[in-house]
Amino acid sequence: MQPLTHMLEPELMVSTPSNLLLNHRLKVIEDLWERVLRDACGQELVNLLNQLREMCSSDGSAAEPLPQAVHVLIEKLDLKDAIRAARAFALYFQLINIVEQHYEQCEQKLALKLSLQYSVPIHAAPQTDRASEHVAPLGAGLLEKTWQASSVEQQKDRGTFAALFPLLKAAGVPPQQVQRLFDELDIGLVFTAHPTEIVRHTIRDKQRRVAQILEKLDRAEEDMTRLGIQSSWEVAELEGQLLEEILLWWRTDELHQFKPTVLDEVDYTLHYFEEVLFDAIPQLSQRLNLALKQSFPYLTPPSNRFCRFGSWVGSDRDGNPSVTPKVTWQTACYQRGIVLKKYIKCTRALTNALSLSLHWSNVLPELLESLEQDKSHFPEIYEDWAIRYRQEPYRLKLTYIIKRLSNTLDRSRQVSDWDSLQFPKADLNPNTCYHSGADFLKELRLIRQSLQQTGLTCQALETLICQVEIYGFNLAQLDIRQESGRHADTIAEITEYLQVFPKSYHDLSETERVEWLVGELKTRRPLIPGELPFSPKAVETIETFRMLRRLHQEFGPEICQTYVISMNRDVSDILEVMLLGKESGLYDPATGITSLQVVPLFETVEDLKKAPLVMQSLFELPLYRAALTGGYQPTPANAIPGLVPHLQEVMLGYSDSNKDAGFLSSNWEIHKAQKALQAIAEKFNVKLRIFHGRGGSVGRGGGPSHEAILAQPGQSINGRIKITEQGEVLASKYSLPELALYNLEQVASAVIKTSLMSGGVDDIEPWNEVMEDLADRSRRHYRALVYDRPELVNFFHQVTPIDEISHLQISSRPARRGGKRDLASLRAIPWVFSWTQSRFLLPSWYGVGTALEEFVAECPQENFELLQGFYRKWPFFRMAISKVEMTISKVDLQIARHYMEELSQPEDREQFEILFERIAHEYRLVSDLVLRISGHERFLDDNPELQRSIQLRNGSIVPLGFLQVSLLKRLRQHGGAGMIYSRYSKRELLDGALLTINGIAAGMRNTG
């Protein structure tokens, strides 16, 4: 089979040594892939795949017009062969994704190595002259030769600590300012389980094994080069292992055979902590500290907890009835169990390492005293180990620690059974169990202190201390999320039952609601009766708050301190949550102390505009200000662990605002809201932390994290940020250790840089006025298509696989907020996912072209030059244009037209043609203007790696798209008049269509 690399344009095939390594790996994988297909299915399948690839033009897009012979081939294709072809292409995409990730990880490892060697920033993609095709070494060592041959100046890189701190020093940023930022540096990454992760846990395991074999193959080929030999049994054996793994993969189901439960999603998400993040995170602090010393040697680094993790998996109940109080409780117990097992394993390793003898090393008296106390609490341990460890105090101490950890784990298992759990329960014995990670940490620090006093250090101990400081006993902080209407409905039921008002709570004005809620928050009298004679939804809401109180009692407040209110519109939405919290003991009206941080989530454009006024009205309430401060009379003694005084977190939603108003308007409204919210916070002396609800796709706020953070108003960050990490983003960022570290370093360095080096361009009022005008034009044009054309709903349902996507067993959460077949009830995730499958990707760019074109037309030369200036000087504008460019580079209107022509009903064809022409016209506009503004000849000229990656995939996404259309057509015609393909059941056809959805998602490396 002809390799897909032949389809790359000549500019992307420059034979630098680094490209040769990637191409070599792709060739190895493609040869093995083809061999598996030939052995399993015969040469006929390989020939079929070659024929299907003929659909592509030289640039990887769909050929125009589609060759008639290929069209006939697809239509006459047997279902069995169509499914085999779809599976083959899907497997190919997954394999080249692994190769690219492996290659990226090799580059990042080398970047770190050379940055330490030269003490300067390193670039992960050097520009070199065309090299010879005949380069001997093929292992990862080839990259190092390439990079060392490049000048240090050429290797500068953005997004690393090694690049950042010299830049800050050269820019004259005062060290005191850097230190103040470090003292409050607070980065939170929150994993979520939105229905975009389409790959099975089983397949992820196979992907990781393939990546591990590739790493071993690198080392084996480097050995071949070093020894000057042409063949190696080790290389042959590893290629055999790859072949075996791919063959086993080929015979494994790609699709979930059952709908995952919430706890399945919990297990899937926590897998990244177990396999990668637990061990990788301490290295982040080490990298920062090392780079900092080279530029600011006298500064104190931020605490190890400057980057922490949260999770919505098992606690986000917005629109997901499967997330119950029981599930959230089990999730917390499961998380604690994972981290305790990790600690036990690490402590056992320390026991082997710390073999110091009293004969040769002194020990602090405090450590000896603690051993005497442990002896009284664990006499059986003393009896079993005292003789063996009589001269090895560290080993004896660690044995006691392991026993306490094991007891704590046993207790965690006992309390995980929600149904048999009785409250209140007996407190644990602090002498034999740990109540929290702080108790465990105290003992580890005692060991460290003893070692330091005798001139010793232990890196394994330092790493474990760092892990405990970051993860505690909770692993990740759980955030509760619920829609605002659920709280209002619950309050309405309670007040109606108690006959509090002469009319329904819903009929009260906002002023009346706030006045009553504030009054209730001031009284100690309970509102909710012990028995709950309410609807199931109201009971579940009340029980959620009671469960939260129990979580705090069992795990400590830090396990779950954030309550996110989706679709927050008014002050009363926040006070309602506080009142329900008060009824469960989470807010004390006497002291004004709360253990729960209420976080409003503003999602629609209208709510984003209203957000500053809502927060100002909230801050004006003395009761609320006291809660933020830490009570009416705050003291260190009554401070709640984990809650920062005077800190208000506000979440901004990208998904619904984009679906509501389009990409440009959504991003601009969020940008404005951040600036306005920061101004309000400063007015009331409140610290602000913005929580960015970003999705995986550009249409839901996704894209490169580093650039996105740099594009935020610097004043709105000030060293504090939270970001959601969703769906397939988890796999692309956190599946390999070096990629995970690189992503975290990119985020952290961007937060530090934008907090300290904000250029002030966001405050240039004439620029803001132009952006407001562009956003307004874009919004009007977007809504004119999406909301003002009734036929758009039918167009969407017919020309995309939205209805079939709902059958994918990829999430416990429903795709719609209700059962209606309209855009309002459809969640943003399947909205974006479906447009991506049919290669429109419409939510990520539609409206931008018209806005730019109309603005330029008013004063062609002056306005066009102004936009070019924005692109060069304004990070926000550059980020917006770059995201649009990335998205439209993946659009293929030839395939999109094929979806429309083949899947639309005859009676709708004429109006659908009109809609399609509007979309195509907008695409031509935006494509032309983005290229002209950016100065690029082709899309992504400033990002050749992504450019190459997209073109490489197009060669197989194109035929897979045509296969999907054929299978969707057969499926939708099944049982109808004139049905031809009657020998297949509807289930078989659906399975085939779902396989193509799976394959295209892998090829696009993006779902929703």
Side-chain angles (χ1 to χ4, degrees):
M1 181 181 294
Q2 191 175 19
L4 278 186
T5 50
H6 85 282
M7 305 192 68
L8 295 178
E9 296 179 27
E11 294 85 348
L12 301 181
M13 286 293 292
V14 174
S15 298
T16 63
S18 54
N19 272 342
L20 283 177
L21 173 61
L22 177 61
N23 292 338
H24 168 65
R25 281 283 169 264
L26 290 171
K27 181 67 167 61
V28 168
I29 285 293
E30 191 163 349
D31 286 346
L32 293 174
W33 169 71
E34 182 179 342
R35 181 175 166 185
V36 165
L37 298 181
R38 186 182 294 110
D39 292 347
C41 306
Q43 184 63 36
E44 294 79 6
L45 177 61
V46 177
N47 294 338
L48 172 62
L49 297 178
N50 271 328
Q51 286 181 281
L52 293 174
R53 281 176 170 174
E54 293 175 4
M55 298 176 180
C56 299
S57 61
S58 59
D59 65 354
S61 60
E64 183 181 2
L66 177 68
Q68 185 60 32
V70 176
H71 184 78
V72 171
L73 170 66
I74 292 175
E75 289 303 309
K76 298 299 183 182
L77 206 57
D78 183 86
L79 178 62
K80 180 180 179 182
D81 291 333
I83 288 177
R84 281 180 172 179
R87 293 188 67 231
F89 284 132
L91 176 59
Y92 175 78
F93 291 136
Q94 306 260 22
L95 289 171
I96 63 173
N97 287 349
I98 296 170
V99 172
E100 287 191 329
Q101 283 191 330
H102 170 71
Y103 175 74
E104 291 167 9
Q105 176 164 261
C106 289
E107 288 188 317
Q108 300 314 325
K109 285 181 178 179
L110 187 57
L112 177 64
K113 178 180 178 180
L114 294 184
S115 68
L116 298 178
Q117 177 179 343
Y118 293 112
S119 298
V120 296
I122 300 300
H123 188 1
Q127 301 298 317
T128 60
D129 295 331
R130 184 180 295 270
S132 169
E133 293 287 347
H134 305 289
V135 179
L138 291 172
L142 177 57
L143 278 176
E144 185 165 358
K145 292 180 179 293
T146 307
W147 287 39
Q148 289 176 338
S150 302
S151 70
V152 171
E153 192 62 31
Q154 286 178 321
Q155 294 171 353
K156 287 185 179 178
D157 185 28
R158 299 179 305 160
T160 62
F161 297 135
L164 173 65
F165 295 127
L167 178 64
L168 296 180
K169 187 174 183 178
V173 177
Q176 300 90 336
Q177 190 176 346
V178 179
Q179 187 64 67
R180 283 196 298 270
L181 180 73
F182 282 170
D183 292 342
E184 296 199 0
L185 190 60
D186 179 12
I187 299 169
L189 298 171
V190 181
F191 288 10
T192 72
H194 284 259
T196 62
E197 180 48 71
I198 199 169
V199 181
R200 290 179 64 199
H201 203 336
T202 300
I203 299 299
R204 285 289 180 220
D205 289 339
K206 294 188 180 299
Q207 291 172 344
R208 188 170 285 109
R209 284 195 290 274
V210 169
Q212 291 167 350
I213 296 172
L214 287 175
E215 194 166 349
K216 294 177 182 177
L217 194 57
D218 278 347
R219 292 194 292 268
E221 289 182 344
E222 287 177 36
D223 290 341
M224 283 177 56
T225 302
R226 187 171 58 255
L227 297 172
I229 59 178
Q230 299 299 315
S231 62
S232 163
W233 67 267
E234 188 178 4
V235 169
E237 181 180 335
L238 289 169
E239 289 185 352
Q241 291 178 21
L242 271 178
L243 179 66
E244 178 182 293
E245 198 64 51
I246 296 171
L247 182 58
L248 292 172
W249 190 342
W250 172 250
R251 300 197 180 192
T252 301
D253 282 325
E254 299 90 341
L255 303 176
H256 291 283
Q257 299 304 305
F258 59 90
K259 191 175 183 67
T261 67
V262 178
L263 291 178
D264 289 328
E265 293 173 336
V266 170
D267 176 68
Y268 182 90
T269 304
L270 296 183
H271 190 68
Y272 294 103
F273 288 98
E274 289 186 89
E275 296 295 327
V276 177
L277 290 171
F278 183 82
D279 293 321
I281 275 296
Q283 298 177 49
L284 184 67
S285 291
Q286 294 169 15
R287 290 186 182 185
L288 187 150
N289 296 349
L290 187 59
L292 182 66
K293 286 179 181 178
Q294 295 172 356
S295 298
F296 298 96
Y298 303 110
L299 294 186
T300 302
S303 73
N304 290 327
R305 286 171 55 85
F306 78 85
C307 182
R308 293 174 294 132
F309 292 92
S311 176
W312 282 10
V313 191
S315 57
D316 177 13
R317 53 243 311 127
D318 178 18
N320 191 347
S322 299
V323 181
T324 62
K326 175 181 178 179
V327 164
T328 303
W329 179 268
Q330 291 175 323
T331 299
C333 293
Y334 187 27
Q335 289 187 178
R336 182 165 63 180
I338 286 176
V339 79
L340 286 173
K341 290 174 187 175
K342 285 287 189 181
Y343 292 154
I344 291 171
K345 180 180 178 181
C346 293
T347 307
R348 283 181 176 148
L350 273 179
T351 305
N352 293 329
L354 295 180
S355 55
L356 287 75
S357 170
L358 288 174
H359 289 130
W360 312 111
S361 182
N362 294 323
V363 176
L364 277 183
E366 291 87 347
L367 182 60
L368 296 176
E369 290 173 10
S370 74
L371 287 173
E372 285 300 314
Q373 295 174 4
D374 292 336
K375 175 182 175 181
S376 64
H377 301 317
F378 297 102
E380 72 283 1
I381 297 293
Y382 183 80
E383 290 292 330
D384 292 341
W385 296 97
I387 295 177
R388 177 177 294 186
Y389 292 154
R390 64 183 180 276
Q391 296 298 327
E392 297 178 334
Y394 291 104
R395 282 184 161 176
L396 185 57
K397 180 63 181 177
L398 289 167
T399 302
Y400 287 128
I401 289 176
I402 291 171
K403 182 58 178 178
R404 281 197 177 91
L405 288 171
S406 299
N407 289 346
T408 307
L409 178 60
D410 289 342
R411 185 180 183 282
S412 186
R413 289 167 175 158
Q414 292 170 6
V415 302
S416 64
D417 187 356
W418 173 263
D419 294 326
S420 62
L421 199 59
Q422 298 296 319
F423 291 97
K425 60 187 183 313
D427 291 334
L428 56 77
N429 184 348
N431 296 321
T432 58
C433 291
Y434 291 119
H435 183 269
S436 67
D439 299 332
F440 176 39
L441 191 60
K442 183 178 179 181
E443 298 215 89
L444 294 178
R445 286 172 174 166
L446 176 60
I447 294 174
R448 177 172 66 180
Q449 183 183 2
S450 181
L451 289 171
Q452 290 174 343
Q453 289 294 322
T454 55
L456 297 173
T457 61
C458 177
Q459 185 56 53
L461 176 62
E462 293 297 329
T463 298
L464 180 55
I465 287 174
C466 180
Q467 289 165 329
V468 179
E469 287 176 346
I470 294 169
Y471 296 117
F473 278 0
N474 298 327
L475 191 60
Q477 185 182 73
L478 294 173
D479 289 355
I480 302 291
R481 184 173 73 140
Q482 183 57 279
E483 196 264 331
S484 59
R486 176 66 73 89
H487 311 125
D489 291 344
T490 301
I491 297 290
E493 285 195 41
I494 295 169
T495 53
E496 182 179 0
Y497 174 77
L498 298 174
Q499 298 182 348
V500 174
F501 305 114
K503 56 183 177 181
S504 170
Y505 175 78
H506 289 305
D507 295 332
L508 298 179
S509 67
E510 173 65 9
T511 302
E512 291 172 327
R513 287 192 191 189
V514 170
E515 182 179 357
W516 179 78
L517 289 166
V518 168
E520 285 297 315
L521 284 167
K522 289 180 178 179
T523 179
R524 300 185 185 185
R525 168 187 49 78
L527 178 69
I528 301 176
E531 297 295 325
L532 301 177
F534 307 119
S535 69
K537 286 186 177 181
V539 170
E540 195 273 339
T541 302
I542 295 169
E543 290 293 350
T544 295
F545 283 90
R546 293 179 176 178
M547 178 273 302
L548 264 173
R549 172 63 173 165
R550 295 170 183 175
L551 276 177
H552 286 191
Q553 292 171 336
E554 171 63 27
F555 295 84
E558 289 184 282
I559 180 62
C560 187
Q561 291 183 304
T562 300
Y563 195 110
V564 179
I565 309 170
S566 58
M567 290 298 172
N568 194 105
R569 295 186 171 89
D570 296 299
V571 171
S572 60
D573 293 329
I574 299 160
L575 298 180
E576 286 163 358
V577 171
M578 289 186 68
L579 178 57
L580 292 170
K582 172 213 157 192
E583 292 297 305
S584 300
L586 298 169
Y587 173 77
D588 184 352
T591 63
I593 296 174
T594 180
S595 58
L596 188 66
Q597 183 182 53
V598 184
V599 177
L601 166 53
F602 300 101
E603 300 182 78
T604 67
V605 167
E606 180 183 351
D607 293 338
L608 287 168
K609 291 180 175 180
K610 193 178 176 183
L613 180 60
V614 170
M615 297 313 297
Q616 175 168 319
S617 300
L618 196 62
F619 293 155
E620 288 172 348
L621 296 175
L623 175 144
Y624 189 79
R625 288 291 308 283
L628 278 186
T629 305
Y632 294 117
Q633 295 179 330
T635 64
N638 59 25
I640 301 296
L643 288 184
V644 179
H646 307 283
L647 177 67
Q648 174 66 58
E649 185 174 301
V650 176
M651 187 170 184
L652 305 178
Y654 289 72
S655 301
D656 284 283
S657 60
N658 193 307
K659 180 166 166 275
D660 179 38
F663 170 77
L664 193 61
S665 177
S666 166
N667 278 265
W668 180 241
E669 292 300 335
I670 289 172
H671 191 81
K672 288 194 304 178
Q674 290 181 75
K675 292 168 59 179
L677 287 167
Q678 181 60 37
I680 295 296
E682 290 176 356
K683 176 181 176 182
F684 289 91
N685 196 29
V686 170
K687 300 174 183 178
L688 180 68
R689 179 169 60 207
I690 299 292
F691 187 177
H692 297 263
R694 303 173 74 234
S697 66
V698 170
R700 295 185 50 248
S705 298
H706 184 76
E707 288 75 11
I709 293 170
L710 291 178
Q712 306 305 317
Q715 295 276 333
S716 70
I717 294 184
N718 287 333
R720 292 181 291 269
I721 197 170
K722 276 179 72 173
I723 306 170
T724 54
E725 299 279 43
Q726 299 181 0
E728 76 283 348
V729 168
L730 298 183
S732 65
K733 290 183 178 180
Y734 301 108
S735 58
L736 298 175
E738 196 60 40
L739 288 183
L741 278 168
Y742 179 67
N743 172 67
L744 296 172
E745 191 172 359
Q746 288 263 306
V747 171
S749 63
V751 169
I752 295 170
K753 181 179 178 180
T754 197
S755 299
L756 294 172
M757 298 185 66
S758 179
V761 294
D762 292 306
D763 298 324
I764 300 176
E765 195 53 37
W767 291 17
N768 289 333
E769 291 173 0
V770 171
M771 198 62 236
E772 184 72 25
D773 178 54
L774 291 172
D776 182 64
R777 295 175 192 265
S778 176
R779 178 171 56 251
R780 281 189 277 109
H781 194 65
Y782 172 86
R783 290 189 64 86
L785 174 75
V786 175
Y787 290 95
D788 297 343
R789 298 295 295 262
E791 64 270 25
L792 191 279
V793 174
N794 282 335
F795 181 88
F796 175 64
H797 279 274
Q798 290 186 36
V799 307
T800 76
I802 176 60
D803 294 328
E804 289 74 21
I805 285 173
S806 64
H807 292 282
L808 279 170
Q809 307 285 4
I810 58 176
S811 174
S812 64
R813 184 184 182 192
R816 294 180 180 273
R817 290 188 170 91
K820 296 181 181 178
R821 188 185 167 97
D822 59 7
L823 294 184
S825 61
L826 181 69
R827 293 190 179 277
I829 297 167
W831 164 254
V832 173
F833 192 0
S834 300
W835 287 115
T836 301
Q837 285 281 311
S838 53
R839 301 297 295 278
F840 283 96
L841 287 88
L842 182 140
S844 302
W845 57 268
Y846 192 86
V848 178
T850 293
L852 296 173
E853 192 270 339
E854 289 179 352
F855 176 71
V856 170
E858 290 179 354
C859 189
Q861 183 174 348
E862 181 180 345
N863 284 359
F864 181 71
E865 290 177 354
L866 182 63
L867 294 179
Q868 286 183 313
F870 285 179
Y871 184 81
R872 290 192 304 270
K873 300 177 181 179
W874 194 0
F876 168 78
F877 188 81
R878 184 182 184 90
M879 176 274 299
I881 294 298
S882 296
K883 283 187 174 183
V884 171
E885 182 180 18
M886 180 178 67
T887 302
I888 58 180
S889 71
K890 297 182 179 183
V891 173
D892 190 329
L893 287 187
Q894 282 303 112
I895 297 180
R897 174 176 285 280
H898 187 67
Y899 274 81
M900 183 201 67
E901 291 175 345
E902 293 296 313
L903 297 178
S904 59
Q905 297 295 324
E907 61 271 21
D908 297 321
R909 187 71 50 78
E910 184 176 350
Q911 60 181 353
F912 283 8
E913 285 281 359
I914 297 172
L915 282 178
F916 184 87
E917 185 49 45
R918 287 189 64 172
I919 294 170
H921 175 72
E922 182 68 14
Y923 173 77
R924 290 190 291 269
L925 275 180
V926 73
S927 298
D928 176 64
L929 282 161
V930 163
L931 287 175
R932 289 169 58 201
I933 290 170
S934 65
H936 297 160
E937 293 184 8
R938 299 168 307 162
F939 296 135
L940 304 174
D941 271 349
D942 62 340
N943 192 342
E945 291 84 6
L946 181 58
Q947 194 180 55
R948 178 202 62 222
S949 179
I950 290 173
Q951 193 175 343
L952 183 66
R953 284 166 172 74
N954 279 348
S956 294
I957 293 179
V958 167
L960 195 51
F962 285 111
L963 280 171
Q964 182 177 100
V965 169
S966 177
L967 291 171
L968 289 175
K969 186 176 180 180
R970 301 182 200 185
L971 174 64
R972 294 175 182 181
Q973 290 177 347
H974 190 276
M979 183 187 67
I980 300 174
Y981 304 98
S982 57
R983 65 180 182 273
Y984 304 120
S985 70
K986 196 166 186 177
R987 181 70 247 181
E988 290 174 315
L989 291 168
L990 177 60
D991 286 344
L994 295 181
L995 284 169
T996 64
I997 292 173
N998 184 73
I1000 291 175
M1004 299 291 284
R1005 297 190 77 173
N1006 192 278
T1007 54

